[in-house]
Amino acid sequence: MTPLIIALDVESAGQARQLVNRLGASVTFYKVGMELYAAAGMEFVRELVAEGKQVFLDMKFYDIGETVKRAVAQVAKTGVRFLTLHGSGAVMRAAVEGRGDSALQLLAVTVLTSFDESDLADMGYTCTVKDLVALRVRKAMEAGVDGLVCSPLEVAEVRRLAGPKAILVTPGVRSAGAGKGDQKRVATPAEAIRDGANFLVIGRQVTRAEDPQAEVRKICDEIGPHVTMNL
């Protein structure tokens, strides 16, 4: 298995199925985010799981503790592997309680890769991105979540803070020459893996390519010398 998670950021289950079929056996792990979830819901998530695919459900849960706990308990029944949460201590503790003894793995979001210092200032934060990421890493480990979603530019420091067992997933990854889209804090796949990422979320570079399988092979070749971890 490769460390690639392909983002199914499309408008419908039909488009997602078409992409999954085009990628075939070259990809086994997919991200379902808010757009596809709003269009196709848990029914499509269950469809992917039934086909033997691993699913990263990127919902960034954020609500009162009881609501988070009960929602996570529902997700835990489906066979989803990863679920994202906001990095609030109360939210993370509720999620850990909700998943119980299931195999669901919880990932706390540090700072979105589309955010930079000016975005934090707009939200009223006076700290730097680096400081906020460090705080959320510490809180996540204290809460007992399994890992974190972080920018590839911060993954080396997050690995140092979180330790060797934490699962680190990095969006904002692009091969050299690929467009950045709306991401601001990006790096190449090889850099992210070298610095400690376990999994890479790849979107438009693959999903909008003329030959998605060829693009997956290209990325796998780039990261091959750095992939030594147990996935």
Side-chain angles (χ1 to χ4, degrees):
M1 185 179 79
T2 74
L4 302 189
I5 301 175
I6 301 303
L8 294 175
D9 295 332
V10 293
E11 296 179 354
S12 68
Q15 289 178 317
R17 288 188 195 102
Q18 183 179 39
L19 183 56
V20 171
N21 289 337
R22 288 189 71 187
L23 287 166
S26 66
V27 174
T28 60
F29 211 150
Y30 289 95
K31 188 198 85 163
V32 174
M34 286 189 289
E35 181 183 17
L36 182 56
Y37 187 86
M42 286 304 293
E43 182 178 351
F44 183 72
V45 170
R46 292 188 179 94
E47 180 181 320
L48 285 173
V49 172
E51 292 175 358
K53 306 299 185 183
Q54 296 194 76
V55 176
F56 169 22
L57 186 58
D58 188 21
M59 297 301 291
K60 301 180 182 70
F61 279 4
Y62 185 69
D63 211 312
I64 63 172
E66 183 66 15
T67 298
V68 170
K69 181 179 75 172
R70 293 170 69 89
V72 170
Q74 293 299 320
V75 174
K77 298 175 184 178
T78 65
V80 164
R81 180 169 175 185
F82 292 159
L83 173 68
T84 52
L85 323 157
H86 271 271
S88 157
V91 168
M92 293 186 291
R93 289 190 294 272
V96 169
E97 185 179 356
R99 64 104 176 263
D101 60 359
S102 73
L104 177 65
Q105 293 176 309
L106 302 170
L107 305 177
V109 176
T110 55
V111 176
L112 298 177
T113 53
S114 61
F115 283 8
D116 59 15
E117 309 288 351
S118 63
D119 296 298
L120 295 192
D122 187 59
M123 293 187 292
Y125 288 100
T126 57
C127 60
T128 64
V129 168
K130 180 179 179 180
D131 290 340
L132 183 56
V133 168
L135 173 65
R136 288 184 168 167
V137 171
R138 289 194 296 270
K139 293 296 184 182
M141 295 299 96
E142 290 170 6
V145 301
D146 301 283
L148 299 114
V149 179
C150 59
S151 160
L153 297 188
E154 285 117 34
V155 70
E157 179 65 7
V158 172
R159 173 59 70 199
R160 186 185 71 79
L161 294 169
K165 295 183 180 179
I167 300 167
L168 302 188
V169 177
T170 58
V173 178
R174 303 282 189 278
S175 294
K180 291 184 179 181
D182 55 1
Q183 308 287 2
K184 296 177 181 176
R185 294 170 14 254
V186 301
T188 68
E191 289 168 339
I193 291 291
R194 179 201 64 200
D195 288 345
N198 298 101
F199 293 92
L200 312 176
V201 179
I202 307 288
R204 282 165 279 198
Q205 182 179 346
V206 168
T207 60
R208 299 186 184 181
E210 290 187 13
D211 186 343
Q213 282 200 33
E215 205 65 27
V216 167
R217 289 193 296 270
K218 172 186 173 182
I219 298 169
C220 288
D221 288 343
E222 290 177 31
I223 64 177
H226 305 282
V227 178
T228 58
M229 76 291 291
N230 179 13
L231 302 178

